[in-house]
Amino acid sequence: MSADPRPEKAERPAGRFRRMLGRLSSSQQDLESEELQEDSQASGCTRISDCTDRQIVKVTGTLRTVTLRPRAGVPALEAELFDGTAPLDVVWLGRRSIAGIEPGRKLIASGRIAMSHGRRVLFNPTYELRPLGKE
């Protein structure tokens, strides 16, 4: 048995045509996830899928949902941040609304990750809204 001198298909660098064909055959959601991952990497932030419990992180992504949900009788503004790898629940306790926090908005958030019911949560993070012109 001789070893095949050609590299495996997955290891070959994709040519321009293959990349274009891949983008045309990908779903819109896949393309958006890929774009969010590239943005996260370019900004030097931690990927949400790499975040572990009790870790201090700086993450970026797009807010998919924003809801007002009381926690123990206290108002709490909850948002789901998605960076293309995994979702992260961002919770501001004692807040009913925050100007600029709305679905579709991109932001950078930092703080300590907690795990709650199997989901990553960031309570009362410091955050920076991304400029609307970059979206």
Side-chain angles (χ1 to χ4, degrees):
M1 246 195 264
S2 65
D4 187 4
R6 294 177 296 167
E8 292 293 323
K9 234 181 187 182
E11 294 176 13
R12 282 190 208 163
R16 190 177 304 165
F17 180 72
R18 285 183 189 226
R19 284 193 305 266
M20 183 181 72
L21 187 59
R23 290 187 67 82
L24 289 174
S25 63
S26 297
S27 71
Q28 183 67 25
Q29 188 175 16
D30 291 340
L31 294 175
E32 288 173 2
S33 292
E34 187 178 306
E35 184 180 315
L36 286 170
Q37 290 177 40
E38 290 170 3
D39 186 43
S40 178
Q41 185 178 9
S43 63
C45 293
T46 306
R47 292 173 11 155
I48 293 175
S49 63
D50 295 339
C51 297
T52 58
D53 193 26
R54 309 287 300 150
Q55 178 183 10
I56 295 176
V57 297
K58 180 178 177 183
V59 294
T60 187
T62 301
L63 296 174
R64 291 204 283 195
T65 61
V66 178
T67 57
L68 177 60
R69 184 172 298 142
R71 287 180 174 252
V74 177
L77 185 65
E78 294 186 10
E80 183 182 80
L81 184 69
F82 184 68
D83 73 345
T85 63
L88 169 71
D89 293 333
V90 183
V91 180
W92 288 273
L93 297 170
R95 303 294 300 263
R96 294 185 189 279
S97 67
I98 299 174
I101 301 295
E102 55 195 29
R105 189 68 189 256
K106 292 184 180 182
L107 65 86
I108 297 174
S110 50
R112 187 177 301 271
I113 295 286
M115 295 298 284
S116 176
H117 305 292
R119 291 182 57 100
R120 294 172 184 90
V121 182
L122 198 56
F123 287 100
N124 294 326
T126 57
Y127 65 95
E128 174 185 333
L129 294 172
R130 303 290 298 272
L132 289 172
K134 288 193 169 191
E135 295 181 13

